[in-house]
């Protein structure tokens, strides 16, 4: 479960470079809901995810995860609830560690304590069978450095890492954007399976309207730091990509008109 109340984020407050990234974000995502997030460049999508991971502490407002208020919690303290997969396949894992070391780190929730003793036979077998499920032949590459894997292979391992510790929240920031279409589809299918099997509360940022409608139960649109559009249920079911594109343009036009009215 995720909840935000009146969350505001302004970068470089009080300077010439001041930039409002999120405005009064009020959002409740019940346990197990899968939400897709769309919006133009600079709309505030990644900032919203950063507020949930604790990488950015809002200037005002409150954040709850799993019914606990976490507004001022550090990202490491939140890591036990929240897993994240980034756009850049290089960002979610350590290139210089082996595949099994990366998995062990995820399994131990980022703790380096007892790191190598954690890699016993039982754990190695568990990792091997989980990697085999990905059907990428990675079960034979446990001791290869992560940096040797392709982007798609790394994203698949990153997704797997998010399931090793009992996370409840999964945040995906354009996690298929750097992949070729076939690998992207594979990673999306894997995302669906992992989210369903683990009943994860999920936010997935995407620039693909198709993905936004095909995956998940609800779609949010952000524009200039505001949620301008929030659809789910039957309203969302009948929607085509063309409808969504039209709404995207229409809502952005309305937001511009509102701004013009506000500015007088
Ligand atoms: N650390 C920062 N310092 C200053 N401004 C920032 C910082 N991070 C983000 N911003 C600004 O905040 C706004 C929102 O950025 P954000 O990265 O959340 O957008 P986004 O919706 O993820 O865009 P994209 O689709 O391009 O990834 C942008 O105007 C961006 O330039
Ligand atoms: Mg972004």
């Amino acid at each position: 479960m995720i909840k935000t109340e009146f969350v505001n984020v302004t970068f470089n407050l009080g300077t010439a470079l001041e930039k409002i990234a999120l405005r009064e974000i009020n959002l409740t995502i019940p346990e197990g809901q899968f939400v897709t997030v769309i919006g133009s460049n600079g709309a505030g999508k990644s900032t919203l995810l950063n507020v949930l991971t604790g990488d950015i502490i809002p200037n005002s407002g409150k954040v709850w995860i799993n019914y606990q208020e976490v507004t001022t919690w550090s990202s490491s303290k939140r890591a036990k609830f929240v897993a994240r997969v980034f756009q850049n396949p290089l960002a979610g894992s350590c290139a210089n560690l082996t595949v099994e070391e990366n998995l062990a780190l995820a399994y131990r929730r980022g703790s380096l304590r007892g790191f190598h003793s954690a890699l016993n036979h039982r754990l190695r077998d568990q990792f091997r069978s989980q990697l085999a499920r990905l059907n990428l032949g990675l079960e034979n590459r446990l001791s290869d450095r992560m940096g040797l894997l392709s982007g798609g292979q790394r994203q698949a391992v990153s997704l797997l890492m998010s399931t090793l510790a009992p996370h409840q929240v999964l945040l995906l920031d354009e996690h298929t954007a750097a992949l070729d279409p076939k690998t992207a589809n594979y990673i999306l299918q894997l995302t669906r399976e992992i989210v369903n099997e683990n009943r994860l509360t999920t936010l997935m940022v995407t620039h693909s309207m198709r993905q936004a409608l095909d995956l998940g139960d609800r779609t949010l649109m952000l524009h200039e730091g505001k949620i301008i559009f929030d659809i789910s249920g039957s309203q969302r079911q009948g929607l085509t990509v063309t409808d969504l594109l039209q709404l995207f343009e229409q809502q952005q036009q309305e937001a511009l008109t509102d701004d013009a009215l506000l500015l007088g």
Side-chain angles (χ1 to χ4, degrees):
M1 164 272 183
I2 296 170
K3 186 174 168 199
T4 69
E5 213 172 73
F6 296 103
V7 161
N8 287 291
V9 172
T10 303
F11 292 107
N12 307 312
L13 188 68
T15 73
L17 295 174
E18 183 168 305
K19 174 76 207 169
I20 301 177
L22 291 179
R23 305 163 196 253
E24 313 264 293
I25 299 291
N26 292 307
L27 184 61
T28 303
I29 305 177
E31 217 170 304
Q33 192 173 59
F34 187 161
V35 180
T36 57
V37 183
I38 54 176
S40 40
N41 294 125
K45 305 177 298 295
S46 297
T47 305
L48 176 60
L49 297 200
N50 282 326
V51 162
L52 300 176
T53 55
D55 289 302
I56 292 174
I57 304 294
N59 299 75
S60 59
K62 288 183 176 176
V63 180
W64 288 262
I65 294 176
N66 283 352
Y67 305 95
Q68 262 188 301
E69 204 210 311
V70 298
T71 315
T72 56
W73 285 24
S74 67
S75 52
S76 54
K77 198 169 169 194
R78 290 184 208 190
K80 65 175 179 222
F81 299 134
V82 183
R84 178 175 197 172
V85 182
F86 298 86
Q87 173 178 356
N88 180 352
L90 305 178
S93 49
C94 294
N96 289 326
L97 297 181
T98 65
V99 171
E100 65 181 5
E101 284 167 341
N102 270 284
L103 293 172
L105 262 182
Y107 182 76
R108 298 180 62 82
R109 290 179 174 158
S111 160
L112 282 166
R113 246 177 307 138
F115 177 61
H116 282 287
S117 63
L119 267 173
N120 54 33
H121 285 302
R122 190 187 53 79
L123 204 53
R124 205 164 261 143
D125 285 346
Q126 185 189 325
F127 291 162
R128 197 169 283 121
S129 61
Q130 280 163 323
L131 284 168
R133 256 197 63 195
L134 301 176
N135 279 323
L136 296 171
L138 293 175
E139 61 277 20
N140 303 318
R141 302 186 63 180
L142 277 170
S143 48
D144 274 2
R145 279 195 319 107
M146 196 75 174
L148 296 176
L149 305 190
S150 74
Q153 290 167 337
R154 285 185 76 156
Q155 289 304 64
V157 175
S158 294
L159 274 173
L160 182 59
M161 282 163 71
S162 71
T163 66
L164 290 179
H167 293 109
Q168 285 92 26
V169 171
L170 178 63
L171 304 175
L172 306 165
D173 198 351
E174 299 183 54
H175 71 308
T176 63
L179 308 177
D180 69 66
K182 189 165 164 251
T183 314
N185 279 336
Y186 169 77
I187 294 294
L188 286 176
Q189 187 48 38
L190 190 63
T191 305
R192 274 198 189 97
E193 285 170 21
I194 281 176
V195 168
N196 288 339
E197 274 171 28
N198 298 280
R199 290 194 33 79
L200 298 168
T201 308
T202 305
L203 269 172
M204 182 183 92
V205 172
T206 177
H207 280 291
S208 156
M209 302 285 163
R210 174 84 277 149
Q211 285 182 16
L213 289 178
D214 281 356
L215 281 92
D217 328 294
R218 176 178 173 188
T219 300
L220 298 179
M221 190 188 294
L222 279 176
H223 181 67
E224 294 187 348
K226 280 186 281 196
I227 296 174
I228 58 168
F229 181 71
D230 182 354
I231 46 160
S232 53
S234 54
Q235 201 193 2
R236 183 176 181 265
Q237 251 159 29
L239 219 61
T240 63
V241 168
T242 317
D243 296 335
L244 192 60
L245 273 169
Q246 262 168 12
L247 272 168
F248 189 80
E249 276 159 27
Q250 185 187 329
Q251 300 277 344
Q252 300 213 336
Q253 204 55 46
E254 279 172 20
L256 283 176
T257 315
D258 286 350
D259 284 350
L261 286 173
L262 275 175
L263 291 169

